Amino acid sequence: MTIHIGLIGGGNISETHARAARAIAGVEIAAIYGTNAKKVATLCREHGAKPYHDFDAFLAHRPMDMVAIGSPSGMHAAQGIAAAQRGLHVLTEKPIDISTERADVLIAAAERSGVKLGVMFQDRAKPGIRELRDWVSTGVIGKPLLVDARVKWYRPPEYYSGSRWRGTLALDGGGALINQAVHTVDLLLWLLGDVVRVQGRTATVLHAIEAEDTAVAILEFASGALGVLQATTAAYPGHPRRVEITGAEGTVILEQDRILAANLRTPPPGSSAGIAPDENQSASSAVVSDVRGHQALFEDFLQAIEQDTVPICDGHEGRRSIALVEAIYRAASSGTAVVLEKP
Ligand SMILES: NC(=O)c1ccc[n+]([C@@H]2O[C@H](COP(=O)([O-])OP(=O)(O)OC[C@H]3O[C@@H](n4cnc5c(N)ncnc54)[C@H](O)[C@@H]3O)[C@@H](O)[C@H]2O)c1
């Protein structure tokens, strides 16, 4: 059976989507919709798709089974809702949108239409990260006590100045925290469970943008563990994301997406040593040239469609990181701790 995918956006990440999806047998890129006609035309030529500049006409294209949304973050929910209402499955880029309010409307629309909804947090599909999650869930690390997550990335000034949406509150919803560090926010929640209380500070220390380029948060997990999160796009030249998790049995260090060190009382049998690391330069660029993470997410989503299962990151899971990001922003603007509502 051939699966026909429509791409929304047509910019940087849609190029990754096209390559990742086409690396899967039986997948075709049927149509591409975006506002930059030149980029859409180039992508369509490369991938044999039909270009659209009218959203309704794009959504009416058939055959088309699902859309992959790679438009500015603040467009995801509205476009996902429109696609769901036409019976198309929706796999959207992170974040699900820029507020929980919008996420909820999208989740409800997908459920009403009976279509699958997935969010592209590709870290969840990466071998080293999956292994770390197994270690946490099977008790290899012991009861989690303390986590230290650092996203000291760099984006050059042109990353913002050459974009109509990056770093804007209306379409990016914020800066380094909601755009770059949201992967790590999702990862912390996926690995360690819910956060119940946060404190935070944000600042715009380097870039000429409306939103923050730097954020710091103190996290209190429902499990009792404490955590610190640092996020920035001002750390030249950009350093690999680092997550250090200390449990009662020792400490594990994740660098970007591979386990760098496991200093544990009882070392786990076998380890991810030897697994090829992610080749993306996420620390210094928005380009996702190594498509394996996205490919694995597409494969998981297609399986969810075919076998009527739940994708690795469905709408409810995708909402969690935005709820936490929202709470950190609220804590930063109010200067007081924020208690998260139970989802
Ligand atoms: N998962 C990842 O690792 C990853 C990496 C990069 C970007 N992203 C996400 O992908 C999304 C897009 O980021 P990008 O780097 O591709 O940005 P981009 O600016 O390169 O591409 C976005 C494209 O959307 C088009 N666009 C603008 N308004 C639109 C609209 N209303 N409808 C359709 N298209 C519209 C623009 O012309 C542009 O070409 C963001 O949500 C971002 O968070 C995810």
Side-chain angles (χ1 to χ4, degrees):
M1 191 178 88
T2 305
I3 293 276
H4 296 89
I5 301 183
L7 303 185
I8 299 175
N12 162 51
I13 206 66
S14 290
E15 204 266 334
T16 303
H17 293 169
R19 286 193 295 121
R22 287 191 70 210
I24 303 167
V27 170
E28 281 178 21
I29 309 299
I32 304 178
Y33 164 72
T35 50
N36 184 323
K38 218 169 133 202
K39 284 189 180 170
V40 169
T42 307
L43 260 190
C44 282
R45 248 195 326 275
E46 279 168 18
H47 298 284
K50 184 162 180 203
Y52 283 95
H53 308 293
D54 179 277
F55 192 43
D56 284 330
F58 163 82
L59 291 174
H61 182 98
R62 293 294 179 272
M64 193 155 82
D65 306 290
M66 61 168 280
V67 295
I69 303 180
S71 54
S73 304
M75 307 297 307
H76 295 176
Q79 292 177 334
I81 291 165
Q85 284 170 346
R86 286 164 178 83
L88 299 163
H89 300 286
V90 177
L91 181 56
T92 180
E93 260 307 337
K94 49 51 64 169
I96 185 167
D97 202 298
I98 58 172
S99 71
T100 47
E101 200 183 337
R102 292 187 192 182
D104 289 339
V105 188
L106 172 58
I107 292 166
E111 286 175 354
R112 241 190 338 268
S113 301
V115 298
K116 297 288 177 193
L117 171 62
V119 184
M120 296 198 220
F121 280 112
Q122 70 268 23
D123 281 352
R124 292 184 179 218
K126 292 180 177 172
I129 288 176
R130 294 187 72 85
E131 182 175 17
L132 177 56
R133 187 164 189 260
D134 284 347
W135 288 3
V136 174
S137 62
T138 59
V140 168
I141 294 174
K143 177 180 159 49
L145 307 174
L146 181 63
V147 58
D148 178 357
R150 278 171 265 160
V151 187
K152 294 189 179 182
W153 286 3
Y154 181 70
R155 293 292 181 264
E158 315 80 76
Y159 168 83
Y160 293 111
S161 62
S163 168
R164 294 212 184 112
W165 70 274
R166 289 171 176 155
T168 68
L169 296 179
L171 286 172
D172 211 350
L177 178 62
I178 195 168
N179 188 320
Q180 282 75 26
V182 74
H183 284 289
T184 302
V185 171
D186 176 67
L187 183 63
L188 294 180
L189 293 167
W190 194 56
L191 291 174
L192 300 168
D194 287 332
V195 167
V196 292
R197 191 169 180 271
V198 295
Q199 296 168 67
R201 291 300 297 260
T202 58
T204 310
V205 296
L206 180 73
H207 293 295
I209 56 173
E210 183 185 10
E212 89 289 349
D213 60 19
T214 301
V216 179
I218 295 174
L219 312 173
E220 297 173 40
F221 290 85
S223 69
L226 295 180
V228 176
L229 168 70
Q230 298 177 59
T232 188
T233 52
Y236 180 83
H239 309 275
R241 175 263 311 276
R242 203 170 163 100
V243 177
E244 300 183 4
I245 302 176
T246 295
E249 296 299 313
T251 294
V252 175
I253 302 175
L254 185 80
E255 193 186 70
Q256 199 54 39
D257 61 354
R258 70 193 170 108
I259 297 169
L260 189 68
N263 303 322
L264 296 164
R265 230 184 283 271
T266 314
S271 92
S272 61
I275 289 177
D278 179 358
E279 284 157 17
N280 292 303
Q281 299 298 313
S282 307
S284 55
S285 163
V287 178
V288 182
S289 54
D290 179 348
V291 304
R292 286 176 296 175
H294 276 86
Q295 184 182 334
L297 269 195
F298 270 106
E299 282 165 350
D300 168 77
F301 192 72
L302 297 179
Q303 185 181 316
I305 294 173
E306 278 164 17
Q307 299 176 10
D308 195 18
T309 52
V310 179
I312 194 167
C313 186
D314 68 357
H316 295 282
E317 280 292 300
R319 180 191 190 280
R320 294 173 70 199
S321 48
I322 276 305
L324 181 48
V325 162
E326 250 176 18
I328 296 171
Y329 283 146
R330 237 180 312 132
S333 64
S334 68
T336 56
V338 166
V339 175
L340 277 100
E341 285 168 29
K342 283 243 171 310

